[in-house]
Amino acid sequence: MSHFPKLLSSQIAYDVARTMLDGFDKHYRLFREASIEAKARFEAADWHGLQKLQRDRIAFYNDRVHEAVVTLQDEYDAERIDDEIWQQIKLHYIGLLTNHHQPELAETFFNSVCTRILHRSYFNNDFIFVRPAISTEYIENEESPVKPTYRAYYPGSREGMAACFERVVHNFQLTLPFEDLKRDIGYVLRAIDEHFGEFRTAPNFQVHTLSSLFFRNKSAFIIGRVINGDHTYPMVIPVIHGASSKLVLDTVLLRPEQLLILFSFAHAYFMVDMEIPSAYVTFLRDLLPRKARAEIYTSLGLQKQGKNLFYRDFLHHLQHSSDKFISAPGIKGLVMLVFTLPSFPYVFKVIRDAFAPPKETTRALVESKYRLVKQHDRVGRMADTLEYSDVAFPLSRFDEALVRELELHAPSMIEYQRAQDGGDEIVVRHLYIERRMTPLNIWLQEGTDAQVDHGIREYGDAVKELIAANIFPGDMLYKNFGVTRHGRVVFYDYDEIEYLTDCNIRRVPEPRNEEEEMSGEVWYTVRPHDIFPETYRTFLLGDLRVRAAFERHHPDFFDATMWQHHKDRLLAGHVHDFFAYQTQERFIHRYGAESTDVSRRAA
């Protein structure tokens, strides 16, 4: 039962609420400005600038929260504000959100500020937003003018589709000219015909496209849907720079599974300008009904909102399940304790208090590696992580063996407390949460010959794409890679990653005598950051099926020349192309058009 006061009598409460909302509004204004600037960087082919913009934007949220906390402490001595005033602050804040265009994001910002000021054991559900207070439905229907979330086009007939798609493209007002837009639109229509067979337009045939372009890596995406009678189909058209430095339409994606990969947790966040983000999420949910709203918000660069919604979904799942948290199956890591809830498709990772040899690292260094991955272009090959502090779990839901493991290997990371309902809780002070995947070593051990072949092809592609993106995984063992439900191999163990450009790529020196040649130990000097690709054969090719697959798909994998080639290109300033679709799906391969860039690879 709420104990909110009936009268909002405190001027300080209103002023604090106004200050917090001003902090959020500043954050979202800067967020949108960065997303708008992405368009100019894309058109200028300023790929390094686009990467920096992406990195900087990730830090915006925490910077604004910190600013708000400092302001509230300096001007209002916020830590000393009593319970009744905090309740009034929340009510004033709700009132200020009545006509707001991002109320759900502003509520999350309020929670972030509130929990920074008030200790975890002090704030309660009256002080923070446990569930949304303001609806995000039909915000566009309000009288205040807003940019429409999507545009609707009516081709009128099958013959009118070329003109329709030309309008679609031109409405994004890209200033850089197209290489041959009529040709590319012809390819789009041809691909639509091939996908749907004899495509007959129903009387209410429509094409809807979101009003802003989605930017990631070196591509801009037109994202929309085709409505034909009672059926709705996804439609994504990537726009890239061609060899002539003009724009081209690279392909058209029409299958839901293609969109799932495009919005995968292993890709970097999109940069997209949204006045009403909830409307974008609703549109995308229509195309991706199996993807949680939390994941869509995260893909749109609103990772704090995604994190908030994920935690609500997690609590909801706990309420409606009864299985216990257990240690995750697979080989145990030397840095992380990993546990999971079998009914929930995620794993929870806790840094150990001490690391057994040969690991030489620290907690601070491990945390810095995870921050690096968050800020880097993950190119579809590194799992995103959700980072939480002070997470309380019902102790009764923890397997006894898991509790003993946490007490033995990470005692500083846990504490026990009494819950409000009288039960016991185990509080984990710091953890990472990732999507659960099948460890690649298990996939290779238990898989058919075809699955082993696929796994090794994907593993080699994943490593090559990571080093092309300037990421050296460090620990190359199969146990540090996972296989997603789409069959893609993704890296997820980050404690040893380095920038490839910081690594010294070396060949094993020729032995100088018989004693060195017969030695079972490393007889040559190995300096920090030295890597020897040919030595990976020792621990990667023990299985005959694996060896054969490597020889088929990646004969250059153990050659230092391949690794050095990628490093040289990176040092020269080259930014590689990565695509969330297969090479054969690109128009230059499907329809024999002249290649726009022979260096492009599919992700």
Side-chain angles (χ1 to χ4, degrees):
M1 178 179 294
S2 173
H3 299 289
F4 287 151
K6 295 179 180 180
L7 297 177
L8 300 180
S9 57
S10 171
Q11 182 63 41
I12 289 179
Y14 175 83
D15 292 343
V16 168
R18 181 72 262 177
T19 300
M20 293 172 81
L21 187 56
D22 287 345
F24 168 76
D25 288 341
K26 179 182 178 181
H27 158 67
Y28 200 70
R29 174 174 54 79
L30 294 173
F31 180 91
R32 291 190 66 186
E33 287 175 359
S35 301
I36 292 169
E37 187 180 346
K39 180 173 180 283
R41 299 290 178 100
F42 168 77
E43 293 193 287
D46 181 7
W47 310 129
H48 291 287
L50 200 55
Q51 289 177 340
K52 182 179 185 304
L53 196 62
Q54 180 113 15
R55 289 194 301 270
D56 291 347
R57 192 187 65 168
I58 289 173
F60 284 177
Y61 186 90
N62 283 338
D63 289 346
R64 300 294 83 75
V65 169
H66 177 73
E67 286 179 4
V69 169
V70 170
T71 299
L72 293 177
Q73 289 174 336
D74 289 347
E75 296 186 10
Y76 302 102
D77 198 9
E79 290 182 348
R80 295 181 180 274
I81 293 175
D82 63 32
D83 290 9
E84 181 178 343
I85 299 300
W86 270 111
Q87 292 167 359
Q88 290 194 39
I89 290 170
K90 181 179 178 181
L91 290 177
H92 277 299
Y93 198 81
I94 292 172
L96 292 170
L97 294 181
T98 302
N99 296 313
H100 205 278
H101 290 164
Q102 305 93 34
E104 77 284 21
L105 308 186
E107 290 177 358
T108 295
F109 188 86
F110 181 97
N111 286 356
S112 297
V113 174
C114 186
T115 54
R116 291 275 185 94
I117 293 172
L118 303 176
H119 190 270
R120 170 177 52 82
S121 62
Y122 178 72
F123 67 79
N124 57 52
N125 293 351
D126 284 346
F127 298 166
I128 62 174
F129 292 93
V130 178
R131 57 180 180 269
I134 301 293
S135 172
T136 59
E137 292 189 86
Y138 307 116
I139 292 178
E140 286 180 295
N141 291 0
E142 296 176 357
E143 294 181 3
S144 56
V146 297
K147 179 182 177 181
T149 299
Y150 65 89
R151 299 186 182 100
Y153 302 86
Y154 307 90
S157 66
R158 178 65 178 82
E159 291 70 27
M161 288 182 68
C164 167
F165 278 99
E166 191 168 346
R167 290 198 307 276
V168 165
V169 175
H170 285 314
N171 276 343
F172 289 103
Q173 299 180 345
L174 290 161
T175 58
L176 198 65
F178 278 80
E179 190 175 279
D180 189 342
L181 185 57
K182 290 188 181 296
R183 176 202 66 193
D184 292 348
I185 288 174
Y187 291 154
V188 170
L189 300 183
R190 183 174 170 184
I192 288 174
D193 285 341
E194 291 173 356
H195 178 73
F196 292 107
E198 188 177 355
F199 190 73
R200 297 182 181 275
T201 58
N204 67 335
F205 181 78
Q206 302 176 35
V207 175
H208 297 171
T209 60
L210 286 166
S211 296
S212 295
L213 289 166
F214 286 53
F215 296 96
R216 187 171 67 197
N217 191 254
K218 295 167 71 174
S219 299
F221 298 88
I222 299 170
I223 296 185
R225 60 194 177 202
V226 175
I227 297 176
N228 193 30
D230 296 328
H231 301 283
T232 300
Y233 308 98
M235 181 195 71
V236 176
I237 302 175
V239 183
I240 64 171
H241 284 244
S244 62
S245 298
K246 296 181 180 179
L247 299 176
V248 298
L249 307 183
D250 196 47
T251 188
V252 59
L253 308 177
L254 299 164
R255 301 194 307 273
E257 58 269 25
Q258 292 174 310
L259 262 71
L260 285 169
I261 294 175
L262 187 69
F263 284 83
S264 164
F265 61 87
H267 281 287
Y269 308 140
F270 286 107
M271 302 194 74
V272 52
D273 177 37
M274 303 168 289
E275 183 164 0
I276 303 177
S278 60
Y280 273 71
V281 172
T282 297
F283 187 101
L284 292 167
R285 279 274 290 175
D286 185 47
L287 308 180
L288 301 164
R290 289 187 293 159
K291 189 166 282 290
R293 288 181 182 273
E295 295 181 56
I296 297 177
Y297 271 105
T298 299
S299 293
L300 297 176
L302 300 166
Q303 66 270 20
K304 294 298 182 180
Q305 184 65 19
K307 177 180 169 181
N308 186 25
L309 291 179
F310 174 88
Y311 192 66
R312 289 174 180 172
D313 290 342
F314 169 63
L315 293 178
H316 180 80
H317 181 85
L318 276 183
Q319 185 71 25
H320 295 85
S321 61
S322 58
D323 54 334
K324 291 195 173 187
F325 291 93
I326 59 172
S327 294
I331 301 172
K332 295 188 181 301
L334 297 177
V335 172
M336 292 284 192
L337 290 174
V338 185
F339 61 92
T340 189
L341 188 67
S343 62
F344 195 61
Y346 291 85
V347 294
F348 303 78
K349 302 170 71 170
V350 180
I351 302 175
R352 293 171 179 263
D353 281 3
F355 313 116
K359 291 290 184 181
E360 296 181 1
T361 188
T362 64
R363 175 179 300 278
L365 188 58
V366 172
E367 292 177 1
S368 74
K369 303 292 187 181
Y370 276 77
R371 283 194 299 273
L372 185 158
V373 172
K374 177 69 73 174
Q375 297 169 349
H376 202 81
D377 187 352
R378 294 188 294 281
V379 300
R381 296 299 188 178
M382 290 193 287
D384 192 18
T385 56
L386 298 170
E387 184 178 5
Y388 289 89
S389 299
D390 296 323
V391 180
F393 299 88
L395 182 59
S396 62
R397 297 292 295 275
F398 268 55
D399 178 72
E400 290 184 8
L402 173 58
V403 173
R404 290 195 298 271
E405 189 175 16
L406 288 167
E407 290 177 338
L408 179 63
H409 297 294
S412 72
M413 286 292 101
I414 62 171
E415 64 177 89
Y416 300 99
Q417 69 177 23
R418 181 72 64 180
Q420 290 183 352
D421 63 4
D424 291 324
E425 292 180 329
I426 181 170
V427 178
V428 180
R429 292 198 176 96
H430 181 254
L431 56 77
Y432 298 98
I433 302 177
E434 290 177 1
R435 171 72 70 165
R436 188 168 63 219
M437 292 173 270
T438 303
L440 181 59
N441 61 307
I442 294 177
W443 173 281
L444 296 175
Q445 291 166 9
E446 300 177 355
T448 63
D449 289 350
Q451 288 174 321
V452 169
D453 185 81
H454 173 80
I456 291 302
R457 178 169 58 81
E458 274 285 306
Y459 171 83
D461 286 345
V463 173
K464 289 176 178 178
E465 288 159 17
L466 286 173
I467 63 176
N470 201 20
I471 292 291
F472 171 60
D475 195 337
M476 308 285 289
L477 292 174
Y478 298 131
K479 71 181 181 68
N480 298 318
F481 293 76
V483 184
T484 72
R485 61 184 185 273
H486 302 293
R488 290 175 60 79
V489 168
V490 171
F491 183 54
Y492 54 59
D493 194 332
Y494 305 141
D495 59 274
E496 291 190 14
I497 64 170
E498 301 286 350
Y499 291 119
L500 183 69
T501 49
D502 289 340
C503 297
N504 307 309
I505 300 163
R506 297 179 55 191
R507 298 180 185 276
V508 175
E510 292 291 332
R512 293 167 297 184
N513 50 53
E514 184 176 352
E515 182 178 282
E516 289 182 348
E517 185 174 5
M518 301 301 293
S519 174
E521 303 294 328
V522 175
W523 45 266
Y524 46 88
T525 302
V526 179
R527 299 182 299 272
H529 300 292
D530 281 355
I531 61 174
F532 299 84
E534 62 195 281
T535 64
Y536 303 154
R537 293 178 180 273
T538 304
F539 53 84
L540 292 181
L541 300 184
D543 185 285
L544 293 179
R545 297 188 300 170
V546 167
R547 181 186 293 270
F550 255 111
E551 291 173 352
R552 276 192 298 274
H553 300 297
H554 301 290
D556 60 344
F557 190 89
F558 306 101
D559 185 353
T561 303
M562 185 272 290
W563 295 71
Q564 187 65 47
H565 171 71
H566 280 295
K567 178 179 175 179
D568 291 343
R569 284 165 66 86
L570 289 164
L571 291 174
H574 178 78
V575 177
H576 203 79
D577 294 85
F578 298 95
F579 300 98
Y581 42 90
Q582 298 298 316
T583 300
Q584 61 269 26
E585 294 172 327
R586 302 183 61 212
F587 289 153
I588 59 172
H589 296 285
R590 291 177 70 174
Y591 304 130
E594 184 177 351
S595 175
T596 58
D597 182 352
V598 296
S599 72
R600 295 181 186 277
R601 289 180 53 82

